[in-house]
Amino acid sequence: MNRSVILFGNGFVKLPEADISQLGRKASDLASMAFANIAIPATAVLPIALVDGFLNDADGAKSWLVTNLDDILQRFNVAPETLLAVRLSPLQAVPGINATMLGLGQTAEGFLAHARLYGEEFAWRKRREMIVAYAEFAKKIGAEVFEEAIEDLVEASASERELCQAVEIIFQNETLTAFSVSRNNQIIDAIMAGVASWHSPRASAFRALNGQSLTGGLAIMLQKQVIFDADKLGCMGSAITRSLENGTKNTHGFWQQAASQRLPISAQQPEAELKPASSLENLKPDLFASLQQLAAQLEATFHDAQKFEFVAGEGGLFAMSTEPAKPSIKAALRIACDLV
């Protein structure tokens, strides 16, 4: 089993470009951005050669993770308050997989750190969200089981502590064990759930239909989540670098501000108001200028108009993902001429 884990982004040493072929599509795009000095969240990648071993030997994979995860997290500079995401990075999109598992890693020490840094309501909410997410991917208990059970508490405006305690009782009733999962086991179980989903009937049928083998096509990312600060206009959004009609430079899209102070991007309220990206120019001109600079860097790196996701939080503006935009023929001609 190839044992190399690749770290890049936000201050980590960049890997040789030749290694991009081992990262899958999403992770290779992030690596390409890191090579171009575009800020991305710190990312560790289990490359395709390593994940192939996981796919062929689940028991061996779990044993390898148990042995090596502490070293990976130490190299990754994971602090008690750090929240992590596990994301699958296939070479091409595959339906039926657990592509993203967010909000991992809150421990007892992390809970206290969250309460100190972000407030008790935040700490209890993150614990509740983590338990529900863990139950769904590791125990196959749907989120609706919890949502239906706490519906009356939500309507009664119960505190986050009360909601979390209710969720813990439901978890114990469903699994016959109290929720007590270490940071390492949360991450390992999330990775193994992602590996298992690669074997799902829907994913297997898709690969068979498209002539894809079980191995050689999947990498797995472990990524630090960016922290918002609403007071500093922390926000997340998506944007396009050009007009798709005529190809003129026009960074446009939508963003939403954190609904409460200092939230990780996964805790963004879904009902938060979407705003046009151009409105950032008046509210936060420095951030809007950085967004325009990011758009130019993405076009220079990928040699095409891009549709990208971004987050502005502690540490500045980060690109989260990018993909080619789909301009009209007229726009494509202009873009090609501009980027020669």
Side-chain angles (χ1 to χ4, degrees):
M1 187 180 290
N2 185 321
R3 301 188 174 202
S4 59
V5 174
I6 301 164
L7 284 79
F8 57 86
N10 199 19
F12 286 103
V13 177
K14 297 166 191 171
L15 69 166
E17 270 190 83
D19 289 337
I20 280 187
S21 63
Q22 281 289 305
L23 301 184
R25 183 174 60 82
K26 290 181 181 179
S28 66
D29 284 348
L30 286 170
S32 294
M33 288 189 272
F35 296 150
N37 294 317
I38 296 171
I40 63 168
T43 302
V45 183
L46 310 182
I48 289 172
L50 177 59
V51 176
D52 279 352
F54 288 14
L55 293 169
N56 288 319
D57 181 7
D59 291 338
K62 193 164 186 177
S63 175
W64 187 91
L65 286 167
V66 168
T67 302
N68 292 279
L69 187 56
D70 278 332
D71 177 61
I72 295 169
L73 294 179
Q74 185 176 6
R75 290 164 54 202
F76 206 32
N77 298 333
V78 171
E81 68 272 15
T82 303
L83 292 175
L84 299 163
V86 169
R87 305 179 191 271
L88 301 194
S89 179
L91 285 174
Q92 58 182 283
V94 174
I97 61 175
N98 289 340
T100 303
M101 290 155 277
L102 298 168
L104 302 171
Q106 192 192 62
T107 61
E109 186 181 6
F111 178 90
L112 294 176
H114 287 154
R116 183 180 69 255
L117 292 169
Y118 317 134
E120 285 196 9
E121 286 289 286
F122 169 84
W124 283 111
R125 180 170 65 254
K126 291 315 301 173
R127 179 171 174 81
R128 172 170 62 89
E129 291 173 350
M130 177 189 66
I131 293 171
V132 172
Y134 181 85
E136 188 163 25
F137 69 70
K139 301 296 184 181
K140 307 304 180 187
I141 304 169
E144 66 277 0
V145 173
F146 297 93
E147 292 167 359
E148 292 170 3
I150 66 172
E151 185 176 357
D152 290 342
L153 287 173
V154 173
E155 290 181 358
S157 299
S159 69
E160 286 293 346
R161 179 174 185 168
E162 292 170 322
L163 293 174
C164 183
Q165 289 172 337
V167 161
E168 292 195 50
I169 291 171
I170 298 164
F171 183 92
Q172 184 165 353
N173 290 341
E174 292 286 335
T175 64
L176 303 181
T177 57
F179 182 83
S180 180
V181 183
S182 69
R183 163 173 273 168
N184 282 24
N185 283 339
Q186 291 172 43
I187 295 167
I188 290 169
D189 289 347
I191 290 172
M192 297 312 298
V195 169
S197 73
W198 194 250
H199 293 277
S200 72
R202 189 177 176 196
S204 298
F206 178 86
R207 286 197 304 274
L209 185 64
N210 289 274
Q212 300 173 16
S213 64
L214 175 68
T215 57
L218 178 65
I220 298 176
M221 297 187 289
L222 182 62
Q223 193 172 59
K224 288 184 179 180
Q225 292 184 228
V226 180
I227 299 294
F228 276 166
D229 191 329
D231 292 337
K232 297 179 181 178
L233 202 64
C235 64
M236 63 185 295
S238 62
I240 300 174
T241 60
R242 300 264 180 160
S243 164
L244 298 184
E245 293 183 4
N246 57 35
T248 56
K249 291 184 179 180
N250 175 23
T251 304
H252 63 286
F254 293 93
W255 63 280
Q256 54 187 175
Q257 189 171 349
S260 58
Q261 293 182 359
R262 300 177 67 88
L263 300 179
I265 59 171
S266 62
Q268 178 65 34
Q269 298 296 316
E271 65 271 17
E273 180 185 359
L274 287 172
K275 306 174 181 68
S278 57
S279 63
L280 283 171
E281 187 170 10
N282 294 325
L283 291 170
K284 195 72 172 177
D286 290 346
L287 177 57
F288 185 71
S290 296
L291 189 65
Q292 290 181 308
Q293 182 181 3
L294 172 58
Q297 287 178 295
L298 289 171
E299 286 196 351
T301 301
F302 294 99
H303 310 293
D304 200 355
Q306 295 291 302
K307 178 180 179 181
F308 63 98
E309 295 181 348
F310 64 90
V311 58
E314 293 182 1
L317 177 67
F318 296 89
M320 298 298 294
S321 66
T322 191
E323 63 182 28
K326 297 179 180 178
S328 67
I329 295 175
K330 176 182 177 181
L333 287 171
R334 174 162 186 167
I335 293 166
C337 291
D338 285 352
L339 295 177
V340 168

